[in-house]
């Protein structure tokens, strides 16, 4: 009769493979983001779908338990790595469950694999041009660069004015595109909000202040065409993720500031509220304290260093633009964000509170940057519930839409 027990060498190799797999998964989740783009994508995917750590972790523990007596050292290493993987698979759920319970909501395990909130290209069936900005060389310098948006507007109805969101995509200020996170657009639509998902000029061809101007241009365009699309300009919201969150906050907080003008002629770029998902709030500290410090795009984006262009850094840093009359703000940030440290959001939340500005800060436990790519993940579920409450609060807000500051 053939024995079911593998040869010792094979057993040791299997145990080491199980241990190395679980160790690698744990490192990708827990360690600082790697510099290699492919590993960044893998690390982000594993972090966003943390439950994928459970099967290899359980298998590793089972293998270590079965072979522990014959191969104690290999089994011990496999067990240690597998246990670490299980911790990083289970703890995010435990922490998120507690946070959700305190907020009076429930997490839905069945929705964890709802899908991916990411689109590789814009939805060109919805695309239109909202402005031409800047000058180009040639026979027609007045044309400039086209700025486009994807229109997720709900059908116009007589005597009905809908609230609307101007959504600003992320991408490190130098990449990304409109309709990059389409599930948010569908989610807003399902709740009666039209969405205008906008592009802006990217670095290094544009500076951050120019990008903020593009966002103001988009808001002004939506306000100017409110009647065309059945929009209530008094319930116009700015929202964005990552770099887009930074631009949305800065555009909302510098309304009326002549140092940061709209990049196209607009009458009014004010909004009734602003939402930032893991957006940077202090550009000087972000660049000095992260891998961006060595990025050659950053000085061009900011128009110089923090020492040579301090005013530009201040105007692009929402935490340094706080006043008591800024629009109502919702900040959503993961406590384990490895790209934009959570201290950025905490600092802005603290300053808003001290200024008496209307603001809500939701810190998502164990959530990393771009947590909402997993549309059914724990962070995404909490973020959507918080956003729903925020939208409801705007209708009851004692802070009316602001005019020029």
């Amino acid at each position: 009769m053939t024995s079911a027990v593998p040869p010792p060498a094979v057993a040791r190799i299997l145990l080491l493979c199980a241990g190395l797999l679980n160790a690698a998964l744990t490192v990708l989740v827990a360690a600082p983001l790697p510099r290699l783009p492919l590993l960044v994508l893998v690390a982000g995917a594993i972090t966003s779908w943390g439950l994928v750590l459970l099967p290899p972790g359980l298998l590793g523990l089972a293998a270590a338990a079965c072979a522990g007596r014959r191969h104690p050292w290999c089994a011990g290493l496999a067990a240690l790595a597998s246990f670490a993987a299980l911790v990083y698979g289970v703890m995010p759920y435990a922490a998120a469950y507690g946070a959700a319970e305190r907020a009076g909501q429930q997490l839905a395990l069945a929705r964890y694999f709802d899908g991916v909130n990411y689109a590789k290209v814009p939805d060109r069936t919805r695309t239109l041009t909202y402005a031409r900005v800047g000058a180009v060389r040639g026979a027609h310098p007045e044309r400039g660069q086209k700025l486009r948006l994807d229109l997720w507007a709900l059908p116009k109805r007589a005597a009905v004015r809908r609230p609307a969101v101007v959504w600003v995509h992320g991408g490190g200020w130098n990449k990304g595109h409109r309709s990059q996170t389409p599930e948010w657009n569908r989610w807003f639509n399902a709740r009666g909000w039209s969405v205008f998902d906008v592009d802006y000029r990217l670095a290094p061809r544009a500076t951050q202040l120019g990008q903020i101007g593009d966002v103001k241009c988009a808001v002004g365009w939506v306000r100017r065409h409110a009647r065309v699309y059945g929009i209530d300009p008094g319930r116009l919201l700015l929202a964005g993720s990552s770099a887009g969150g930074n631009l949305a906050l800065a555009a909302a907080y510098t309304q009326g500031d002549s140092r940061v003008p709209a990049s196209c002629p607009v009458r009014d770029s004010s909004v009734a509220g602003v939402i930032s998902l893991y957006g940077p709030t202090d550009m000087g500290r972000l660049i000095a304290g992260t891998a961006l410090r060595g990025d050659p795009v950053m000085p061009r984006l900011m128009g110089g260093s923090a020492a040579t262009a301090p005013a530009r850094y201040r105007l692009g840093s929402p935490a340094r633009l706080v006043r008591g009359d800024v629009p109502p703000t919702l900040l959503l940030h993961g406590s384990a964000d490895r790209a934009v440290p959570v201290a950025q959001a905490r600092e802005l939340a603290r300053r808003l509170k001290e200024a008496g500005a209307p603001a809500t800060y939701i810190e998502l436990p164990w959530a990393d940057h771009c947590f909402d790519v997993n549309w059914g993940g724990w962070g995404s579920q909490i973020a959507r519930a918080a956003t729903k409450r925020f939208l409801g609060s705007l209708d009851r807000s004692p802070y009316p839409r602001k005019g020029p500051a």
Side-chain angles (χ1 to χ4, degrees):
M1 181 179 294
T2 303
S3 174
V5 179
V10 174
R12 285 194 292 270
I13 291 173
L14 291 175
L15 284 171
L16 288 175
C17 288
L20 289 173
L21 173 62
N22 282 294
L25 293 173
T26 303
V27 168
L28 285 173
V29 171
L33 283 176
R35 296 295 182 92
L36 298 176
L38 179 60
L39 284 182
V40 170
L41 292 176
V42 173
I46 294 172
T47 303
S48 297
W49 281 269
L51 288 184
V52 301
L53 295 172
L54 298 185
L58 291 172
L59 288 173
L61 283 180
C66 293
R69 291 185 178 181
R70 293 185 178 86
H71 313 286
W73 286 104
C74 293
L77 292 173
L80 184 62
S82 301
F83 180 75
L86 285 175
V87 168
Y88 279 97
V90 173
M91 286 304 295
Y93 172 72
Y97 181 87
E101 192 173 49
R102 289 190 294 273
Q105 66 183 83
Q106 292 183 338
L107 296 179
L109 181 60
R111 302 199 62 182
Y112 188 79
F113 295 100
D114 266 2
V116 178
N117 179 29
Y118 180 76
K120 292 183 179 180
V121 295
D123 188 342
R124 301 189 188 281
T125 62
R126 302 175 181 270
T127 299
L128 55 84
T129 298
Y130 70 88
R132 293 177 184 266
V133 298
V136 295
R137 297 177 181 177
H140 303 285
E142 74 282 358
R143 290 185 178 179
Q145 179 179 337
K146 289 182 178 180
L147 293 180
R148 295 183 171 91
L149 62 80
D150 282 355
L151 184 64
W152 295 71
L154 295 171
K156 186 178 177 181
R157 295 172 57 188
V160 174
R161 290 294 190 97
R162 300 184 187 276
V165 178
V166 175
W167 185 275
V168 189
H169 69 78
W173 299 278
N174 66 341
K175 53 184 177 292
H177 54 80
R178 62 193 184 277
S179 292
Q180 185 169 273
T181 51
E183 293 303 329
W184 275 114
N185 297 343
R186 296 187 182 100
W187 185 87
F188 278 111
N189 282 173
R191 280 145 192 84
W193 289 66
S194 292
V195 181
F196 299 82
D197 199 322
V198 305
D199 271 344
Y200 50 89
R201 289 170 294 170
L202 301 177
R205 294 182 62 186
T207 65
Q208 184 201 30
L209 295 189
Q211 295 172 341
I212 297 170
D214 291 348
V215 173
K216 290 184 175 183
C217 174
V219 173
W221 184 92
V222 173
R223 295 184 65 83
R224 189 166 65 251
H225 293 81
R227 188 177 297 275
V228 175
Y229 296 106
I231 300 303
D232 178 0
R235 291 190 292 165
L236 184 59
L237 188 71
L238 250 180
S241 57
S242 195
N246 166 262
L247 298 177
L249 289 168
Y253 291 3
T254 59
Q255 157 61 20
D257 192 328
S258 60
R259 295 170 297 177
V260 193
S263 57
C264 66
V266 299
R267 291 183 178 180
D268 189 355
S269 63
S270 61
V271 292
V274 58
I275 300 175
S276 169
L277 286 89
Y278 43 86
T281 68
D282 189 316
M283 295 302 296
R285 291 184 178 180
L286 178 76
I287 294 172
T290 67
L292 293 177
R293 182 173 61 252
D295 190 338
V297 172
M298 288 299 107
R300 299 178 67 179
L301 172 74
M302 302 307 299
S305 67
T308 60
R312 286 178 169 269
Y313 279 74
R314 181 182 181 279
L315 291 170
S317 300
R320 303 177 65 184
L321 300 170
V322 172
R323 308 182 310 274
D325 64 343
V326 298
T329 302
L330 173 62
L331 302 175
L332 301 164
H333 212 103
S335 65
D337 195 318
R338 290 177 287 179
V340 178
V342 68
Q344 294 264 317
R346 290 172 180 170
E347 177 66 11
L348 176 55
R350 181 185 67 79
R351 295 193 181 196
L352 288 167
K353 182 178 180 180
E354 289 178 351
T360 302
Y361 173 51
I362 304 295
E363 188 168 306
L364 307 167
W366 290 71
D368 201 349
H369 203 65
C370 299
F371 60 82
D372 55 324
V373 170
N374 178 2
W375 188 239
W378 315 132
S380 294
Q381 291 189 37
I382 296 174
R384 292 200 299 273
T387 303
K388 183 179 179 180
R389 291 193 297 271
F390 181 72
L391 298 181
S393 73
L394 292 181
D395 290 331
R396 304 186 300 272
S397 175
Y399 299 90
R401 177 181 60 81
K402 303 293 188 297

